């Protein structure tokens, strides 16, 4: 294995360049007092402009986060990418969508929380990559993401306010087209807003011009916002519906054939002499269907294999509330107290498929009336220790209770015989063993956080943080029961082609994280800034995997893996910065900004790399603002991925450099964005892309699993008109 300093040596020209120039975070972002928190926020027009520029490259809301140091996206569907923060992804992160906690209602996590928020509706994004205060949430061991839709708009006087916006974009590589609208009618104290969007794309092509099948998608979203306010109180009711009629997953066995979701969210904010109250109650219902999409068909039983029809139905319901108070103890001291409840109910069943003995004649019950309940309480103090030092101390307890009903296979047999021989399924054996066990599980999880902030002068600030965070397993990690290859292969959100089995004896993950942040800037805070955050995390009872079987193809082998606990460690560094380069009447204003991220994760027990660790990477951009124009030249640099997880057959990938161009023009209420991504049509493999499962199927390009290639050059254009 390469040691960290050896990897850094390979990348030292880039690191030296970026450090010398003190690169910085992306435009339209500001830093909050908490370490590592990146905010897309500010004036609504500025925030929406930044989002429109990023939306030009992708319809996936998760990609809006990629400019933050330490944040990457694990490849999944075109609008269902899984965010990764410092090597921890998906359920290990805390994700709020309009203050709702939404769980993936899918064995492949095809509908992660951020997939329910179209990028056209995003108002604010908060990303915290460092030590997180307990008031920000629990049941996670990594960073936190909070995405909020556009807040209600109100009139500033007694005149009725009416306004709207329409937007559209097009990307040439995959013929992606998107359109959205928003409209608001409001008085001084009441507001009614509606939003809608549709995004559609065909399969994209890589840098060699080859089609990457099962990367198509279509998503439709509709939202309604009703707001009411008085001098010190605000009520907001949000409701919406999403329909995804199809989304391909090139690195999965299955595709999404339908996703119907409806939500209702009621929020309250009140300001009082003694402090504030924030409360949210919500309900979300999802009906989800997986099967083989068109790119994985037609059926062909002769080798190489193709996928048969195999419908999988999931219904998930999230219901819960959050209640938080801030009490002003003194002018410098705040006490935060809160209570949260979240219940996730899940039914995952697979109807029988006539003509296939392994999938007939009963309905396969994967998760039968499963539920996962969280009851959380926290208390946190923030106050001044001295004139230059503040502290945040907090404690949180979560009671997590899980249970599920009995299960059954496609039939009550352990094997079936055809003209080609006998196949062992162990449906009866595995279901009998599972049903005889106690399914009810209860975890009492304690979290602690301590953050010390020291600001000796106007040009420097330092922050030291420690947290103990705990995450209980999800329903699939504990309750997925079948070890048969076909059934286990339908479960897993890792894009690696392996099969996964749950474990009733799993223990919660407990992460101890230490981080130190140094920030330096000019006295006026407008010419340059540099921020460096090294971190270290030790995870006790990390939920990894062990091999319990295998599937041998003609030229490939995949493992059947059961979730299991072991210890793990992650360490790395995040760097961000910016520097103003020029300012003149003829050339406008210019600046250089960007990020560097490095993470190394290992299984302490065997020394192997953890799965999906992003190699050393950086983003650097040169921006010019001249009159109504904003022009950007961006470079994305990724080092070689040589440390991989052998148990999952994780592929290695080569380093690469991508160049993107972008320009926007604003005239009154019209904004035009144009750009080119992957300007030189570079061919490259995605370090977090997993394998290209489609190319392994019949009539495709390969009989071996290859890494997933990224998209080639694309010419993009977008329009936004306000009225």
């Amino acid at each position: 294995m390469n040691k960290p300093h050896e990897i850094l040596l390979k990348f030292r020209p880039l690191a030296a360049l970026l450090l010398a120039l003190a690169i910085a975070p992306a435009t339209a972002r500001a830093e909050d007092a908490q370490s590592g928190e990146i905010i897309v926020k500010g004036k609504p027009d500025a925030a929406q402009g930044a989002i429109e520029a990023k939306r030009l490259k992708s319809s996936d809301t998760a990609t809006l986060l990629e400019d933050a140091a330490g944040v990457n996206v694990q490849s999944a569907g075109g609008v269902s990418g899984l965010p990764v923060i410092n090597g921890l992804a998906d359920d290990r992160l805390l994700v709020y969508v309009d203050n709702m906690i939404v769980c993936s209602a899918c064995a492949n996590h095809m509908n992660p929380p951020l997939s329910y928020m179209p990028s056209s509706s995003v108002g604010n994004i908060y990303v915290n990559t460092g030590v997180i205060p307990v008031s920000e949430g629990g049941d996670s061991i990594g960073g936190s993401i909070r995405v909020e839709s556009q807040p209600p708009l109100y009139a500033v006087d007694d005149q009725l306010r009416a306004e709207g916006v329409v937007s559209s974009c097009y990307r040439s590589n995959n013929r992606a087209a998107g359109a959205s609208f928003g409209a608001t009618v409001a008085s001084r104290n009441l507001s009614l807003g509606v939003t809608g969007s549709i995004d559609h794309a065909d399969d994209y092509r890589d840098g060699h011009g080859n089609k990457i099948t099962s990367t198509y998608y279509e998503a439709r979203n509709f939202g309604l916002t009703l707001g009411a306010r008085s001098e010190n109180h605000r009520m907001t009711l949000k409701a919406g519906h999403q329909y995804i009629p199809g989304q391909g997953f090139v690195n999965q066995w299955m595709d999404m054939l339908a996703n119907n979701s409806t939500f209702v969210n009621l929020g309250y904010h009140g300001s009082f002499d003694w402090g504030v109250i924030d409360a949210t109650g919500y309900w979300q219902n999802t009906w989800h269907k997986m099967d083989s999409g068109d790119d994985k068909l037609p059926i062909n039983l002769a080798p190489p294999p193709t996928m048969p029809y195999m419908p999988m139905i999931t219904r998930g319901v999230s219901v819960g509330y959050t209640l938080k108070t801030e009490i002003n103890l003194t002018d410098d001291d705040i006490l935060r107290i809160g209570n949260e409840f979240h219940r996730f109910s899940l039914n995952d069943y697979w109807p029988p498929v006539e003509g296939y003995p392994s999938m007939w004649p009963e309905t396969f019950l994967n998760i039968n009336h499963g539920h996962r309940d969280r009851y959380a309480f926290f208390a946190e103090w923030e106050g001044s220790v001295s004139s230059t030092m503040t502290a945040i101390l907090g404690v949180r307890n979560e009671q997590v209770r899980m249970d599920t009903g009995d299960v059954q296979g496609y039939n009550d047999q352990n094997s079936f015989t055809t003209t080609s021989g006998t196949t062992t399924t162990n449906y009866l054996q595995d279901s009998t063993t599972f049903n005889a066990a106690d399914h009810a599980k209860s975890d009492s999880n304690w979290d602690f956080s301590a953050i010390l902030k020291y600001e000796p002068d106007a040009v420097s600030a330092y922050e030291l943080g420690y947290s103990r965070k705990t995450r209980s397993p999800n329903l699939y990690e504990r309750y997925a029961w079948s070890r048969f290859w076909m059934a286990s292969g339908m479960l897993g959100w890792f894009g690696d082609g392996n099969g996964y089995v749950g474990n009733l004896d799993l223990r919660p993950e407990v992460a101890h994280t230490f981080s130190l942040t140094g920030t330096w800037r000019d006295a006026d805070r407008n010419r340059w800034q540099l921020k460096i955050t090294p971190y270290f995390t030790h995870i006790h009872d990390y939920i990894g995997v062990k091999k319990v079987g295998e599937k041998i193809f003609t030229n490939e082998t995949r493992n059947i893996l059961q979730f299991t606990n072991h210890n793990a460690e992650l360490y790395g560094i995040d760097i961000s910065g910016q520097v103003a380069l020029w300012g003149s009447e003829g050339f406008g204003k210019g600046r250089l900004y960007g990020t560097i991220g490095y993470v190394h994760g290992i299984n302490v027990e065997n020394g192997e790399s953890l799965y999906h660790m992003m190699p050393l990477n950086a983003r650097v951009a040169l921006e010019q603002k001249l009159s109504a124009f904003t022009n950007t030249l961006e470079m994305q640099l990724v080092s070689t991925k040589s440390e991989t997880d052998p148990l999952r057959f994780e592929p290695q990938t080569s380093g690469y450099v991508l160049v993107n161009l972008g320009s926007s023009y604003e005239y009154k209420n019209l904004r035009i964005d144009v750009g080119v991504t992957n300007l030189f049509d570079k061919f490259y493999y995605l370090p977090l892309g997993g394998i290209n499962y489609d190319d392994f199927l019949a009539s495709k390009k390969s009989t071996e699993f290859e890494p997933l290639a990224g998209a080639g050059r694309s010419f993009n254009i977008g329009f936004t008109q306000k009225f």
Side-chain angles (χ1 to χ4, degrees):
M1 289 189 297
N2 289 331
K3 297 185 182 299
H5 73 276
E6 293 174 342
I7 299 177
L8 288 170
L9 286 174
K10 294 180 183 179
F11 224 35
R12 62 183 177 184
L14 170 66
L17 171 64
L18 297 181
L19 284 172
L21 294 174
I23 58 177
T27 185
R29 299 186 312 193
E31 293 194 13
D32 191 82
Q34 295 175 3
S35 172
E37 187 165 83
I38 310 299
I39 304 175
V40 177
K41 130 180 186 180
K43 295 182 179 179
D45 291 348
Q48 194 60 35
I51 291 171
E52 290 295 339
K54 294 178 182 179
R55 189 184 180 218
L56 191 66
K57 303 176 186 177
S58 172
S59 298
D60 191 352
T61 297
T63 62
L64 300 178
L65 315 173
E66 289 186 305
D67 287 335
V71 180
N72 304 103
V73 176
Q74 175 184 322
S75 301
V79 293
S80 298
L82 301 176
V84 183
I85 297 179
N86 292 335
L88 300 174
D90 199 23
D91 282 352
R92 292 190 169 103
L93 307 179
L94 179 65
V95 180
Y96 284 103
V97 179
D98 270 335
N99 216 29
M100 298 188 300
I101 295 176
V102 180
C103 296
S104 295
C106 172
N108 294 159
H109 286 197
M110 291 182 175
N111 43 25
L114 293 181
S115 68
Y116 292 105
M117 175 75 77
S119 58
S120 58
S121 296
V122 173
N124 299 325
I125 303 177
Y126 306 79
V127 181
N128 195 319
T129 62
V131 169
I132 301 170
V134 297
S135 59
E136 289 297 304
D139 198 36
S140 62
I141 60 172
S144 67
I145 299 168
R146 188 180 296 271
V147 179
E148 299 173 350
S149 60
Q150 296 283 356
L153 299 177
Y154 295 94
V156 295
D157 50 33
D158 293 332
Q159 297 295 318
L160 193 67
R161 178 179 182 178
E163 60 182 65
V165 59
V166 293
S167 180
S168 64
C169 63
Y170 177 79
R171 294 181 286 276
S172 67
N173 182 288
N174 56 350
R175 294 188 294 179
S180 64
F181 74 90
T184 296
V185 177
S187 66
R188 182 190 291 270
N189 297 317
L190 294 175
S191 175
L192 175 63
V194 294
T195 60
S197 68
I198 182 170
D199 290 279
H200 172 274
D202 295 332
D203 295 325
Y204 71 73
R205 295 183 180 273
D206 63 25
H208 290 158
N210 297 318
K211 180 184 289 188
I212 306 300
T213 53
S214 293
T215 56
Y216 61 88
Y217 61 85
E218 181 177 340
R220 308 169 190 173
N221 291 273
F222 177 80
L224 174 71
T225 300
L226 177 63
R229 69 175 184 178
S230 63
E231 183 176 356
N232 297 316
H233 306 276
R234 299 196 306 268
M235 292 281 291
T236 304
L237 176 65
K238 295 184 178 182
H241 180 76
Q242 178 190 80
Y243 175 54
I244 297 181
Q247 183 175 195
F249 284 76
V250 62
N251 57 10
Q252 297 282 10
W253 289 59
M254 292 280 100
D255 299 310
M256 177 189 288
L257 266 62
N259 200 83
N260 272 291
S261 178
T262 303
F263 78 90
V264 178
N265 180 343
L266 178 63
Y268 166 77
H269 175 86
S271 298
F272 304 89
D273 293 339
W274 50 265
V276 299
I277 294 178
D278 282 291
T280 303
Y282 56 89
W283 169 87
Q284 190 236 22
N285 175 62
T286 296
W287 185 90
H288 170 75
K289 181 179 181 179
M290 292 194 299
D291 207 333
S292 300
D294 292 341
D295 285 346
K296 291 184 171 67
L297 297 172
I299 299 173
N300 179 5
L301 298 181
T306 57
M307 292 300 299
Y309 289 108
M310 184 183 172
M312 303 170 66
I313 311 299
T314 309
R315 185 188 179 193
V317 178
S318 287
V319 60
Y321 68 83
T322 64
L323 176 62
K324 299 181 180 181
T325 64
E326 287 194 3
I327 302 171
N328 300 320
L329 301 178
T330 68
D331 292 340
D332 298 321
D333 296 271
I334 298 173
L335 176 64
R336 300 184 181 97
I337 301 175
N339 168 230
E340 294 183 12
F341 168 75
H342 176 252
R343 180 183 179 91
F344 178 56
S345 303
L346 181 69
N347 277 289
D348 188 343
Y349 58 95
W350 311 347
V353 181
E354 188 173 3
Y356 289 84
S358 65
M359 296 185 286
W360 183 261
E362 305 293 340
T363 295
F364 186 101
L365 299 181
N366 193 30
I367 303 290
N368 182 23
H369 291 93
H371 66 86
R372 188 177 189 273
D373 301 339
R374 293 173 49 214
Y375 307 83
F377 299 88
F378 72 83
E380 181 178 275
W381 167 80
E382 179 176 0
S384 297
V385 179
S386 68
S387 60
T388 58
M389 187 176 297
T390 59
I392 301 176
L393 302 174
V395 60
R396 182 185 187 98
N397 178 259
E398 298 223 5
Q399 300 294 319
V400 182
R401 300 172 184 173
M402 303 169 61
D403 202 354
T404 189
D406 289 347
V407 299
Q408 69 176 30
Y410 281 109
N411 51 62
D412 290 331
Q413 300 176 11
N414 289 319
S415 63
F416 64 91
T417 302
T418 64
T419 56
S420 59
T422 300
T423 299
T424 300
T425 63
N426 283 332
Y427 287 150
L428 180 60
Q429 176 182 306
D430 289 347
S431 62
T432 300
T433 301
F434 182 88
N435 292 339
D438 184 6
H439 306 157
K441 300 293 179 180
S442 181
D443 303 322
S444 182
N445 300 332
W446 288 93
D447 290 357
F448 307 96
S449 63
I451 301 172
L452 191 63
K453 304 176 183 179
Y454 175 59
E455 192 166 357
D457 48 48
V459 299
S460 62
Y462 306 90
E463 183 175 300
L464 177 65
Y466 162 77
S467 67
R468 181 191 194 271
K469 301 190 65 183
T470 312
R471 179 187 80 96
S472 288
N474 63 40
L475 290 171
Y476 288 106
E477 288 169 330
R478 267 189 171 151
Y479 295 136
W481 58 273
S482 177
R483 298 191 180 204
F484 179 44
W485 166 249
M486 182 276 298
S488 64
M490 300 300 105
L491 185 140
W493 41 95
F494 309 103
D496 56 6
N498 296 295
Y500 287 85
V501 184
N503 186 343
L504 286 168
D505 296 324
L506 280 181
R507 297 179 297 275
E509 299 176 316
V510 180
H512 300 270
T513 298
F514 300 85
S515 70
L516 175 65
T517 298
T519 304
W520 302 269
R521 56 174 70 90
D522 65 288
D524 296 330
R525 301 195 176 192
N526 59 11
R527 290 187 293 110
W528 67 270
Q529 177 179 289
L530 177 64
K531 183 175 182 178
I532 301 177
T533 304
Y535 57 87
F536 171 82
T537 299
H538 176 85
I539 305 173
H540 184 66
D541 285 332
Y542 180 89
I543 298 177
V545 292
K546 65 179 179 181
K547 180 178 176 180
V548 294
E550 65 181 16
K551 171 66 174 178
I552 300 177
F553 298 97
T554 303
N555 299 314
E556 284 280 2
T557 299
R558 294 288 108 170
N559 285 331
I560 301 174
L561 303 169
Q562 184 177 35
F563 295 110
T564 189
N565 293 110
H566 62 76
N567 293 337
E569 290 181 350
L570 298 99
Y571 59 84
I573 189 169
D574 296 331
I575 303 173
S576 63
Q578 67 175 350
V579 59
L581 299 180
W582 71 80
S584 67
E585 194 170 313
F587 292 94
K589 294 181 179 180
R591 66 170 182 140
L592 194 67
Y593 61 86
T595 60
I596 300 176
Y598 172 75
V599 62
H600 180 70
I602 62 169
N603 180 335
V604 173
E605 296 175 10
N606 61 21
E608 301 287 357
S609 175
L610 298 181
Y611 185 64
H612 266 172
M613 294 295 106
M614 184 70 179
L616 185 64
N617 63 97
R619 291 175 181 265
V620 58
L622 177 64
E623 177 189 83
Q624 178 201 32
K625 288 190 175 184
L626 177 63
S627 186
F629 290 92
T630 300
N631 305 308
T632 306
L633 169 64
E634 179 188 60
M635 295 178 63
Q636 180 185 358
L637 306 98
V638 179
S639 182
T640 299
K641 182 179 177 67
S642 57
E643 297 188 2
T644 56
D645 184 350
L647 199 57
R648 305 187 199 226
F649 302 104
E650 183 180 11
Q652 298 183 350
T653 57
S654 300
Y656 58 90
V657 178
L658 303 180
V659 178
N660 305 318
L661 296 177
S663 182
S664 65
Y665 173 75
E666 295 187 64
Y667 176 74
K668 294 184 178 180
N669 291 330
L670 174 66
R671 177 187 172 99
I672 301 175
D673 290 274
V674 295
V676 184
T677 52
N678 195 355
L679 176 65
F680 299 108
D681 210 15
K682 172 73 174 178
F683 178 86
Y684 62 101
Y685 290 117
L686 294 163
L688 303 183
I691 53 99
N692 188 327
Y693 182 77
D694 265 35
D695 279 0
F696 182 69
L697 301 177
S699 74
K700 305 296 181 179
K701 295 175 289 186
S702 174
T703 58
E704 297 180 353
F705 288 114
E706 297 180 352
L708 178 60
R713 180 171 50 232
S714 182
F715 297 94
N716 312 321
I717 186 168
F719 301 88
T720 301
Q721 176 67 57
K722 299 177 182 179
F723 55 89

